[in-house]
Amino acid sequence: MKIDNATAQMRKGVLEMCILASVSIERKYATEILNHLKSVDLIVVEGTLYPLLARLRSAGLVGYEWEESASGPPRKYYLLTKEGELFLNELTSGWNALHNSVKNLINPKSKKS
Amino acid sequence: MKIDNATAQMRKGVLEMCILASVSIERKYATEILNHLKSVDLIVVEGTLYPLLARLRSAGLVGYEWEESASGPPRKYYLLTKEGELFLNELTSGWNALHNSVKNLINPKSKKS
DNA sequence: CTTTAGTACCTTGCATTGCAAGTTACCTTT
DNA sequence: AAAGGTAACTTGCAATGCAAGGTACTAAAG
């Protein structure tokens, strides 16, 4: 199906922001992030998330804390650094700007400035 | 700069929709599309646009008409096919859904429906 | 007529990156 | 000990945005 691929495309590039936003609410480990995003209909999978988290970490935008789990292997809780918070603000600004541009493009009449 | 790269990332996947939307207003040739997108602050370049137009064409979403130019080489005017119109509708729906998801993620309180 | 400049089309190759699939490791239960 | 569940991570592929380069046509300048 073409449409599936296209909507998948649209999610690209927004993931970074979404993950930062998810973690900014409260520290989370990977599976929690996946479930959180899924709960707002943003399907992400492990193979996407882990490399992205690694990138965000090496960029200094997130840190993590290991914590033992009552049942199962230890968990790596990710949380935003101060840099990450600033960056998330910039990303949301960029996102809003994009949304605005697209709105103007699709519906040129409603320029509410 | 990190932020530039990130906002560039966000534009990915939305381009297809934007190009279809631009052409749907009236038939345009490549340079006009570029200028139109630039006018709403969506910077796209030739190297991106031409392969994408080729993809849209081979997917049957756009057609084109050659037309002589008073000054310069002939122009290839792109226009939406009926399939393309349907597809554009689906894309905008997907875009709205994405926007909604992100809104819920970033600002969980304002669930207006 | 030849050269330069402008416009328009298109292609090649690289780097990024989302994702499917597979791997390792720990803990609990049978 | 074996099986199952959870969690972290890696590898390799395919898609794709984009910089850079190339071709072709017209008009104007030399």
Side-chain angles (χ1 to χ4, degrees):
Chain A
M1 302 293 270
K2 249 180 302 185
I3 183 70
D4 289 341
N5 181 47
T7 50
Q9 280 302 316
M10 294 207 293
R11 266 202 324 270
K12 290 187 181 186
V14 188
L15 288 179
E16 204 168 322
M17 178 180 66
C18 289
I19 289 166
L20 289 176
S22 178
V23 170
S24 80
I25 298 171
E26 59 177 355
R27 64 168 204 171
K28 291 190 180 66
Y29 63 99
T31 307
E32 282 182 316
I33 297 174
L34 289 176
N35 288 334
H36 182 212
L37 296 185
K38 202 179 299 175
S39 76
V40 293
D41 302 312
L42 283 166
I43 306 301
V44 190
V45 293
E46 284 192 323
T48 300
L49 181 60
Y50 281 107
L52 222 162
L53 283 173
R55 262 179 266 153
L56 294 173
R57 180 167 49 83
S58 70
L61 301 174
V62 299
Y64 60 83
E65 313 164 326
W66 280 105
E67 191 147 323
E68 304 271 324
S69 165
S71 65
R75 295 165 176 173
K76 204 177 193 175
Y77 283 88
Y78 288 89
L79 39 86
L80 250 65
T81 62
K82 209 156 255 173
E83 252 194 321
E85 287 174 25
L86 293 176
F87 190 63
L88 176 56
N89 284 335
E90 289 174 343
L91 281 180
T92 52
S93 295
W95 167 256
N96 287 329
L98 176 64
H99 179 244
N100 220 25
S101 294
V102 171
K103 199 177 58 185
N104 286 337
L105 187 73
I106 291 179
N107 196 1
K109 327 178 176 185
S110 69
K111 289 185 191 171
K112 64 175 63 172
S113 88
Chain B
M1 303 293 271
K2 251 178 303 183
I3 184 69
D4 288 341
N5 181 49
T7 50
Q9 280 302 316
M10 293 207 294
R11 266 203 323 271
K12 291 186 180 187
V14 187
L15 289 179
E16 204 168 321
M17 178 179 64
C18 289
I19 289 167
L20 289 176
S22 178
V23 170
S24 81
I25 298 171
E26 59 176 356
R27 64 168 204 172
K28 291 190 180 67
Y29 63 99
T31 308
E32 283 182 314
I33 297 174
L34 288 176
N35 288 333
H36 182 212
L37 296 185
K38 203 179 297 174
S39 76
V40 293
D41 301 313
L42 284 167
I43 307 301
V44 190
V45 293
E46 282 192 324
T48 300
L49 182 61
Y50 279 107
L52 221 162
L53 282 173
R55 261 179 267 153
L56 294 173
R57 180 168 48 84
S58 69
L61 301 174
V62 299
Y64 59 84
E65 313 165 325
W66 280 105
E67 191 147 322
E68 304 272 325
S69 165
S71 65
R75 296 164 176 174
K76 204 178 193 175
Y77 283 90
Y78 288 90
L79 40 86
L80 249 66
T81 62
K82 209 156 254 173
E83 252 193 321
E85 288 174 25
L86 293 176
F87 190 62
L88 177 56
N89 285 335
E90 290 174 343
L91 281 180
T92 52
S93 295
W95 166 255
N96 287 329
L98 177 62
H99 180 243
N100 220 25
S101 294
V102 172
K103 199 177 59 185
N104 286 336
L105 188 73
I106 291 179
N107 196 1
K109 323 174 180 191
S110 70
K111 292 183 188 169
K112 67 172 58 171
S113 76

